[in-house]
Amino acid sequence: MKLTSVVAVLSALASATATPTPTRERAATEPHKATVSDKATLGYATQNGGTSGGAGGTVTTVSTLAQFTAAVALNNTAPAIVVVQGIINGTAKVRVSSNKTIIGLPGSGFNGVGLLFLKQKNLIIRNIVSSNVSASYGDGLTIQESTNVWVDHSEFHSALVSNKNYYDGLIDVTHGSDFVTISHTHFHDHWKTSLVGHSDSNGAQDKGHLRVTYANNYWSNCNSRGPSVRFGTAHIYNSLYVNMSSAVNTRMGAQVLVESNVFKNVTSPITSVDSTQVGYATANGNDLGGKRNVAPYGNLTVASVSYNYTLLGAENVTAVVASEAGPILVF
Ligand SMILES: *[C@@H]1O[C@H](CO)[C@@H](O)[C@H](O)[C@H]1NC(C)=O
Ligand SMILES: *[C@@H]1O[C@H](CO)[C@@H](O)[C@H](O)[C@H]1NC(C)=O
Ligand SMILES: *[C@@H]1O[C@H](CO)[C@@H](O)[C@H](O)[C@H]1NC(C)=O
Ligand SMILES: *[C@@H]1O[C@H](CO)[C@@H](O)[C@H](O)[C@H]1NC(C)=O
Ligand SMILES: *[C@@H]1O[C@H](CO)[C@@H](O)[C@H](O)[C@H]1NC(C)=O
Ligand SMILES: *[C@@H]1O[C@H](CO)[C@@H](O)[C@H](O)[C@H]1NC(C)=O
Ligand SMILES: *[C@@H]1O[C@H](CO)[C@@H](O)[C@H](O)[C@H]1NC(C)=O
Ligand SMILES: *[C@@H]1O[C@H](CO)[C@@H](O)[C@H](O)[C@H]1NC(C)=O
Ligand SMILES: *[C@@H]1O[C@H](CO)[C@@H](O)[C@H](O)[C@H]1NC(C)=O
């Protein structure tokens, strides 16, 4: 069943060493061709029947908040692909119904507009730039009581403003949500980046759920929560972390498997702090930047992950992930 392969990086990638920009450490990269009806191909979102979003449904292009809100309205759970054209500005929290794919054309997404998946199933977000959602409108993306969610090739950010509670999370996964994959996504310039499990007292709803895969993500200039996990199960691999105080924080009995990641200038790469009970971590093949994994040793292992996956190897992560994470898809 289980095959963890370490693949050769395409020679094309290995040779793509354009000058990085000073703040993003991202090489110039060829856009990736994708289709609007792609289904989740990696991580926990491939389990529990898989995640197809709006595949097979109508395709609607939206460029205003009103059009977007109508296209994802709760009274219509039929599969639909919603193509976002341009940046939709506003101050709002938009609740999205089941069976939707939200895809951005190059340079498209939301500014100030938070997305909420509450009590829904089967949702995909790809190629979206989300910025500056104030805490009054939730997180960039809030996933609550929802299952089968795939976030891929997107960018979530705000700014390290002086009030660290002005913004809440970039992507928070809470209230018993399950089967979530966040892949090839760039998180940057934010305080409280990604929270899995919102409260020490929510074990009744969360235990046995909150299974989240974080693969091939780039986290830069984020203070903490890369991610913070209570009660759940998180598999974190092939990711690049630069300039963080705390990255992986495992709490309240959470089990995390942390493999093939690179941590540069991260004070606490893997830890267990700030809860009434510790969580656990298994760490394999990471470059911890001279630091140590200080979380108690866990039991989530390669053998207990229920899907196939590919490790890049820590020595390959910086070159590949800094250039591949983010909204580089073309449709
Ligand atoms: C990390 O922080 C340093 C110092 O502020 C900055 O020069 C550098 O660009 C940051 N790295 C990234 C990848 O943002
Ligand atoms: C959903 O509600 C809106 C009005 O709020 C209406 O225009 C639309 O036809 C409804 N859609 C369905 C599928 O019922
Ligand atoms: C949408 O998704 C839900 C949950 O996956 C499913 O039960 C339902 O049949 C779907 N709705 C439609 C109209 O296809
Ligand atoms: C949203 O604001 C950005 C600038 O911040 C602008 O480029 C974009 O055109 C705006 N979008 C709309 C739909 O007006
Ligand atoms: C987000 O906020 C920061 C700081 O408040 C600002 O510099 C940036 O331009 C904003 N982004 C957008 C897309 O408006
Ligand atoms: C390391 O990251 C911190 C933020 O966590 C930043 O303030 C500092 O400038 C960075 N140092 C270097 C050498 O990049
Ligand atoms: C790992 O330990 C937890 C208790 O922390 C237990 O509930 C779980 O069944 C164990 N899983 C495996 C695969 O041994
Ligand atoms: C994993 O890969 C192996 C070899 O390709 C295959 O036989 C197996 O079915 C795969 N398992 C899953 C869960 O996809
Ligand atoms: C890194 O990538 C090279 C190919 O570019 C591959 O030969 C090597 O095995 C990879 N390293 C690891 C640890 O997987």
Side-chain angles (χ1 to χ4, degrees), residues 127-178:
N127 221 42
I128 289 290
V129 183
S130 164
S131 59
N132 294 359
V133 178
S134 92
S136 319
Y137 302 99
D139 312 297
L141 170 61
T142 303
I143 304 171
Q144 293 188 358
E145 295 183 70
S146 294
T147 55
N148 290 94
V149 176
W150 184 34
V151 179
D152 181 61
H153 279 293
S154 291
E155 175 175 352
F156 285 78
H157 69 100
S158 67
L160 288 160
V161 291
S162 58
N163 173 6
K164 64 188 287 183
N165 295 316
Y166 180 76
Y167 299 110
D168 196 349
L170 289 178
I171 302 181
D172 284 4
V173 182
T174 64
H175 297 79
S177 292
D178 219 345

Side-chain angles (χ1 to χ4, degrees), residues 262-284:
V262 172
F263 299 84
K264 292 184 183 169
N265 187 31
V266 176
T267 309
S268 298
I270 310 173
T271 188
S272 179
V273 292
D274 300 336
S275 276
T276 56
Q277 294 169 30
V278 296
Y280 304 89
T282 305
N284 300 323

Side-chain angles (χ1 to χ4, degrees), residues 10-53:
L10 297 172
S11 56
L13 286 175
S15 61
T17 50
T19 313
T21 63
T23 56
R24 303 278 292 274
E25 240 190 48
R26 176 181 297 178
T29 303
E30 290 299 306
H32 284 200
K33 189 78 187 135
T35 79
V36 296
S37 44
D38 289 343
K39 301 172 184 176
T41 50
L42 73 175
Y44 283 113
T46 64
Q47 309 290 286
N48 193 39
T51 302
S52 56

